[in-house]
Amino acid sequence: NSEELAGVFQKVGSVDMVEVIYDKESGRSRGFGFVTMSSMEDCNAAIEKLDGADYAGRTLRVNFPNRNRVDSPPVSRPPRMDQNNTNKLFVGNLAWGVDDSLLHELFSEHGKVLEARVVSDRETGRSRGLGLVTMSPEAEVNEALNKMDGVSVEGRNLRVNMAGERPASRG
């Protein structure tokens, strides 16, 4: 689970967020997740110390995410502006057609969006149905959280939480 995976990565650096991906039908882990470290140094330390390491009988594969989309060149990102995650929102239940630019557009109605990213499957490049939005200042983050949580986009109700928080159970 996310808590266990965070514990593994916290041994090598400061962890901002962990998201283990689960199968919708069985509820079991699909065997992979995403870890956001606090700094580039922590990212590099995690890759150096944990890639290839054994964890619970499995070999860990730790690397930076790939951009496998055939139609888009590799993206070079500006340095992260929010080292402490206080202005980052987790957006779940995204429709498959939502991309980075639409996510940016949706949230920019509520303030200044520094970064909007839809998380993609490493193998297929398809959306995983979740994204991260970094905004500034804090008042605009809170406004976006309050106004966007539950909003229907392309037939699906968004789930918006502060990144790193456990979402409330729904169901």
Side-chain angles (χ1 to χ4, degrees):
N1 66 29
S2 295
E3 191 173 310
E4 290 175 18
L5 190 58
V8 170
F9 279 78
Q10 285 171 340
K11 293 176 185 172
V12 297
S14 179
V15 175
D16 279 352
M17 187 180 87
V18 175
E19 179 73 19
V20 172
I21 307 303
Y22 295 93
D23 182 271
K24 288 182 210 170
E25 293 171 17
S26 71
R28 294 180 51 165
S29 166
R30 292 192 51 203
F32 67 96
F34 299 93
V35 178
T36 303
M37 303 297 285
S38 296
S39 69
M40 189 57 75
E41 292 80 21
D42 288 341
C43 289
N44 290 327
I47 291 170
E48 182 181 325
K49 294 176 182 169
L50 297 175
D51 188 39
D54 181 75
Y55 175 70
R58 297 184 71 166
T59 302
L60 292 178
R61 188 171 142 212
V62 182
N63 55 24
F64 289 104
N66 294 343
R67 295 277 183 212
N68 286 348
R69 294 195 178 139
V70 176
D71 58 338
S72 65
V75 176
S76 69
R77 292 210 174 137
R80 288 184 52 191
M81 301 184 73
D82 64 316
Q83 293 300 319
N84 60 9
N85 241 16
T86 58
N87 292 349
K88 186 174 279 191
L89 297 170
F90 170 86
V91 185
N93 203 34
L94 289 174
W96 305 122
V98 175
D99 61 9
D100 293 355
S101 61
L102 179 55
L103 188 62
H104 187 283
E105 183 181 324
L106 290 167
F107 279 81
S108 64
E109 295 174 18
H110 303 287
K112 181 178 179 183
V113 175
L114 302 176
E115 180 182 33
R117 181 171 57 95
V118 174
V119 177
S120 300
D121 182 277
R122 191 181 338 232
E123 302 295 320
T124 66
R126 282 193 44 180
S127 168
R128 301 278 320 141
L130 54 103
L132 297 165
V133 177
T134 305
M135 299 181 71
S136 181
E138 188 174 347
E140 293 175 354
V141 175
N142 292 329
E143 177 184 338
L145 172 65
N146 292 327
K147 293 197 173 169
M148 293 300 291
D149 188 39
V151 167
S152 179
V153 175
E154 295 186 12
R156 298 189 68 162
N157 294 338
L158 299 180
R159 289 188 324 229
V160 182
N161 297 291
M162 294 302 295
E165 283 184 2
R166 291 216 178 256
S169 272
R170 298 181 193 242

